[in-house]
Amino acid sequence: MNQVSETPRPSVQWLEVTDANSEQRLDNFLIGFLKGVPKTRIYRMVRKGEVRVNKGRVDVSYKLVIGDIVRIPPVRVAEATDEVIVQPALKFSLENQILYEDDGFIVLNKPSGFAVHGGSGVSGGIIEALRQIRPQQKFLELVHRLDKETSGCLLIAKKRSALRVLHEMFRGDGIQKTYLALLAGQFKRKSQRVDVPLLKNVAQGGERMVVVSQAGKPAETLFTRLKAFREATLVHAAPKTGRTHQIRVHAAWLGHPIVGDDRYGEDNVNKAFKQRGYKRLFLHAEQLRFAHPLTGAPLHFNAPLPADLQTLLEHEETL
């Protein structure tokens, strides 16, 4: 159980806005800074003029600018003393998995088996581990997400300005993503575009699932055959949209679920592959292509397939 302590004798604070919070809404800035203070209290402080920006009243929707001075009134903040626990193995792994880094962002080769975001007081994920490794870095935020068992290219922003541009790219078609996936069975076609809508959070047997449904959101994935094996097919999967579990559900819809997919795959198929050494979901975020969010320069990143998966492929019987 978390033990809670209170900060003694609170006083007025004056905070100068830096790049880390530039263009962030005032309410979101306050919610992040005043952890433990109810949102209703925060909104009331702004409404009553207790919170001020550059000595003047502003609305909660005001977007902060570098150099703004924010007045925070005296308020007691309840703080949990428990820290997020991050596995030492994850910290060690991340130190050696950075594919690219500059002032704006990091491209990380995410290891399989770790969530991108952890839970407080339980276990930390990728972003919590990075923040612990780099306590001097004031701003580190996930740009997008990968499933726990998926490995490969993961973007982390180091500036809010970079985060904003990258988010816009992901919402549009500014980022080209290519995954490596091993599909169960023989995928006969050279390539196939799957364009069927997906509906998420449909309960099936107590488990939240994503399903193909006309009531869902548009989703499109291009599957391209790379290598045919006797019992499986290696493909490139290029999602044009970014729906939850999109590649996994689209692959299952084709009748060729991803090997090791315990949610959308087939139990007997997974069992057979597991006996041959496949102990995880065979899905790897191999490539990212996009223009640099701050300079516009074209970028291309490639995360090599993990050695364990590469070894398994080398033992597959080809056609």
Side-chain angles (χ1 to χ4, degrees):
M1 180 180 294
N2 287 359
Q3 293 183 347
V4 175
S5 60
E6 288 192 341
T7 304
R9 299 180 182 178
S11 57
V12 171
Q13 298 181 71
W14 301 89
L15 305 177
E16 183 173 354
V17 175
T18 65
D19 179 71
N21 300 103
S22 177
E23 298 196 21
Q24 186 177 23
R25 280 176 54 118
L26 177 63
D27 52 356
N28 292 332
F29 169 78
L30 294 172
I31 289 167
F33 183 76
L34 298 172
K35 288 183 171 63
V37 177
K39 291 183 182 179
T40 52
R41 171 79 175 103
I42 290 173
Y43 280 85
R44 187 165 65 248
M45 288 192 301
V46 177
R47 191 170 59 249
K48 293 173 66 176
E50 296 176 54
V51 172
R52 299 205 170 206
V53 178
N54 302 327
K55 299 184 179 180
R57 288 176 176 255
V58 291
D59 188 75
V60 291
S61 62
Y62 173 81
K63 288 194 175 181
L64 299 170
V65 177
I66 294 176
D68 278 350
I69 304 298
V70 182
R71 178 191 187 274
I72 308 291
V75 57
R76 291 190 181 276
V77 181
E79 297 179 341
T81 57
D82 282 355
E83 293 185 1
V84 173
I85 301 166
V86 175
Q87 298 178 39
L90 175 55
K91 289 185 182 181
F92 177 78
S93 177
L94 294 187
E95 291 281 12
N96 299 287
Q97 295 296 335
I98 293 175
L99 300 172
Y100 173 85
E101 180 175 5
D102 62 18
D103 291 340
F105 63 93
I106 296 169
V107 182
L108 183 73
N109 186 4
K110 174 192 172 296
S112 174
F114 296 100
V116 293
H117 206 300
S120 178
V122 184
S123 61
I126 300 293
I127 192 65
E128 288 84 8
L130 274 177
R131 288 168 180 163
Q132 288 191 17
I133 291 170
R134 301 183 172 195
Q136 76 284 358
Q137 187 74 47
K138 293 183 179 179
F139 186 90
L140 283 172
E141 293 289 346
L142 291 165
V143 177
H144 61 122
R145 294 174 181 268
L146 293 176
D147 293 341
K148 181 178 179 180
E149 295 304 317
T150 302
S151 54
C153 293
L154 180 69
L155 277 170
I156 293 100
K158 295 170 64 178
K159 288 185 175 181
R160 187 167 296 280
S161 53
L163 178 66
R164 185 179 65 256
V165 175
L166 289 167
H167 273 169
E168 289 173 357
M169 289 181 176
F170 268 98
R171 283 193 291 268
D173 56 3
I175 295 185
Q176 295 178 330
K177 300 162 286 183
T178 306
Y179 292 72
L180 276 174
L182 187 66
L183 305 187
Q186 295 179 13
F187 182 61
K188 299 292 187 182
R189 303 185 68 169
K190 199 169 185 180
S191 67
Q192 183 169 350
R193 188 176 304 277
V194 177
D195 186 6
V196 293
L198 300 178
L199 181 66
K200 71 175 182 177
N201 292 334
V202 177
Q204 291 186 1
E207 187 176 34
R208 295 290 181 180
M209 304 281 284
V210 176
V211 298
V212 172
S213 170
Q214 291 304 314
K217 294 182 178 180
E220 183 178 332
T221 308
L222 175 64
F223 292 91
T224 304
R225 190 180 69 223
L226 297 176
K227 195 167 187 179
F229 300 103
R230 185 165 296 281
E231 298 180 13
T233 309
L234 184 68
V235 301
H236 264 154
K240 187 175 181 181
T241 48
R243 309 301 178 202
T244 301
H245 296 172
Q246 176 175 319
I247 297 173
R248 296 166 64 181
V249 180
H250 277 174
W253 181 84
L254 283 172
H256 298 282
I258 297 174
V259 168
D261 193 338
D262 58 6
R263 181 169 296 199
Y264 303 103
E266 299 173 5
D267 291 342
N268 59 331
V269 173
N270 286 337
K271 184 177 180 180
F273 275 96
K274 193 169 186 178
Q275 290 173 346
R276 290 157 51 191
Y278 292 85
K279 302 184 184 304
R280 54 158 283 201
L281 176 74
F282 201 121
L283 183 62
H284 176 71
E286 183 189 40
Q287 299 179 44
L288 284 177
R289 293 177 184 268
F290 57 95
H292 194 288
L294 303 180
T295 69
L299 300 172
H300 177 206
F301 302 106
N302 190 301
L305 189 67
D308 59 335
L309 298 186
Q310 185 62 48
T311 299
L312 288 167
L313 284 183
E314 290 170 359
H315 287 84
E316 283 294 325
E317 185 180 353
T318 58
L319 290 177

